[in-house]
Amino acid sequence: MTQPVSPPPAVRAALRAQRIEVPSWAYGNSGTRFKVFAQAGVPRTPQEKIADAARVHAHTGIAPIVSLHIPWDRVDDYGELASYAADHGMRIGAINSNVFQDDDYRLGSVTHPDPRVRRKALDHLLECVDIMDATGSRDLKLWFADGTNYPGQDSIRARQDRLAQALSAVYDRLADGQRMLLEYKLFEPAFYTMDVPDWGTAYAHCRRLGPKAQVVIDTGHHAPGTNIEFIVAFLLREEKLGAFDFNSRFYADDDLMVGAADPFQLFRIMHEIVLADALRPESGVNFMLDQCHNIEPKIPAQIRSVLNVQEATAKALLVDAGALAAAQAAGDVLGANGVLMDAYHTDVRPMLRELRTELGLDPDPMAAYARSGYQEKIAAERVGGRQAGWDA
Ligand code: PSV
Ligand code: MN
């Protein structure tokens, strides 16, 4: 079945309302542990990162939110930073805590055996909530590098107790309307146990804490072959899916552009989102990117990533839900699969170009950015100073 170029009004409305949040750190230098390649024009300050994020929004029309990472984006006045973002048509999204880049955290942060280190980590998390108050952010994103490398190194159970204690102290500090998002990761940097290795662990902690605690699915944080859309469907049903950290991976936590490695997986994820009516910003699911552009230019890579999510979403919205339900009820295995694949194989690019034109945007965001001269401008202007990166 061929889909019409002009989408039904409901699909059009859903695509207009879709919002994607971009990470400030995607605009800084990044790399592997072997080499960080510097790029010309990379931001030196959080303000310059926000200005770059604003270019992504200017060309896509659906990415007006930027996440910060503290201390990478530390400033004296966060209220002022929020105003700067607003002046650029952006708002500050999730505040990402960082309790993994300090010598004190060699054996963990909130699960460290030493109460002094645990206190220091907790103080940082609480400071992040203060920052949320100043920026008007709703979400605190928690990712813990905590874990162990060797059997017997520390008590798995005691570390869970310490984790629960810290989470509960942060939870109690949250104001009305604020949430904490707990991210899990199978391995890295710890290789024997991670203290939050999987969605089940994150879910169990969040469930005990209450409704303001929600799980984040970083698509790169699973064992190869994991059925991520199953996790999505399950957490949505339990009202515990708070956000995505979108990226793609071939091997481990590769942080490549979302939709680059496996566009079909991204479609399957977005299909579960659409089925649960969780695409609307009011649904509470925050669609964030968490990516690093080690070898490709950063702003166009972010634009491409936003477009990849938009394309997967458009395809998911085109699934004929009635035909799918009928085929499923009839036990028509091939028919049901066919309905899904019809939508996946639809070329949605013409309809998205049309939508952008309606929004007053250039229909081809990648070409429009290339023509805009912004890349040349920042390369010429941003000379001197210290380029942002993983350590700044
Ligand atoms: C950890 O690998 C992670 O996915 C967390 O979200 C961090 O905050 C982010 O990467 C930093 O790059
Ligand atoms: Mn992440």
Side-chain angles (χ1 to χ4, degrees), residues 7-300:
V11 171
R12 196 180 288 260
L15 289 169
R16 273 172 175 264
Q18 182 174 32
R19 290 294 172 264
I20 294 167
E21 182 168 322
V22 297
S24 68
W25 54 98
Y27 306 93
N29 286 324
S30 62
T32 65
R33 66 182 189 273
F34 300 105
K35 173 70 180 164
V36 172
F37 295 102
Q39 292 188 21
V42 155
R44 285 87 43 92
T45 62
Q47 286 81 357
E48 289 180 349
K49 293 180 197 173
I50 292 173
D52 288 1
R55 297 314 304 163
V56 175
H57 178 50
H59 292 292
T60 61
I62 59 167
I65 320 163
V66 55
S67 325
L68 301 184
H69 217 299
I70 309 297
W72 298 339
D73 295 317
R74 206 183 271 297
V75 290
D76 289 336
D77 188 332
Y78 289 96
E80 226 169 64
L81 192 66
S83 306
Y84 179 89
D87 291 343
H88 285 72
M90 301 292 290
R91 72 182 159 82
I92 310 282
I95 301 299
N96 287 249
S97 54
N98 181 329
V99 281
F100 50 89
Q101 281 188 314
D102 192 295
D103 284 340
D104 269 342
Y105 300 140
R106 184 170 57 91
L107 300 180
S109 65
V110 294
T111 68
H112 197 287
D114 182 345
R116 181 192 65 81
V117 178
R118 296 206 293 275
R119 182 71 240 177
K120 171 175 167 167
L122 177 59
D123 285 345
H124 170 73
L125 304 183
L126 297 174
E127 181 204 349
C128 286
V129 186
D130 295 341
I131 294 171
M132 291 161 68
D133 291 341
T135 55
S137 296
R138 176 188 56 177
D139 293 337
L140 170 68
K141 180 137 70 74
L142 301 170
W143 174 68
F144 299 107
D146 298 42
T148 64
N149 273 3
Y150 295 99
Q153 179 189 322
D154 197 3
S155 156
I156 293 174
R157 185 167 170 154
R159 292 177 78 93
Q160 286 301 308
D161 293 341
R162 297 171 203 148
L163 173 67
Q165 252 183 7
L167 292 176
S168 145
V170 177
Y171 193 90
D172 291 345
R173 164 67 183 83
L174 295 173
D176 284 347
Q178 291 181 336
R179 317 186 301 175
M180 54 195 264
L181 306 175
L182 182 58
E183 183 170 350
Y184 57 90
K185 183 172 178 178
L186 174 68
F187 82 100
E188 198 198 28
F191 296 123
Y192 170 54
T193 58
M194 288 291 277
D195 291 321
V196 191
D198 53 26
W199 70 268
T201 309
Y203 169 74
H205 281 282
C206 289
R207 203 183 145 166
R208 272 203 193 196
L209 288 162
K212 292 180 186 176
Q214 298 272 319
V215 179
V216 187
I217 299 180
D218 183 314
T219 44
H221 288 188
H222 307 85
T226 299
N227 182 334
I228 298 177
E229 62 269 26
F230 177 85
I231 303 171
V232 173
F234 184 91
L235 290 177
L236 283 170
R237 183 171 177 276
E238 296 293 330
E239 299 180 354
K240 277 293 178 199
L241 179 59
F244 287 96
D245 262 7
F246 274 137
N247 49 55
S248 60
R249 54 80 69 80
F250 288 99
Y251 298 102
D253 188 21
D254 304 350
D255 279 342
L256 299 173
M257 293 185 298
V258 58
D262 190 347
F264 185 41
Q265 178 190 62
L266 183 58
F267 162 78
R268 299 192 309 262
I269 289 172
M270 294 315 296
H271 172 58
E272 292 303 327
I273 291 289
V274 169
L275 270 183
D277 193 22
L279 188 61
R280 294 167 299 115
E282 317 81 67
S283 75
V285 180
N286 186 356
F287 299 88
M288 305 185 287
L289 308 182
D290 177 10
Q291 304 182 160
C292 293
H293 307 297
N294 301 349
I295 57 170
E296 66 276 30
K298 293 155 198 304
I299 299 171

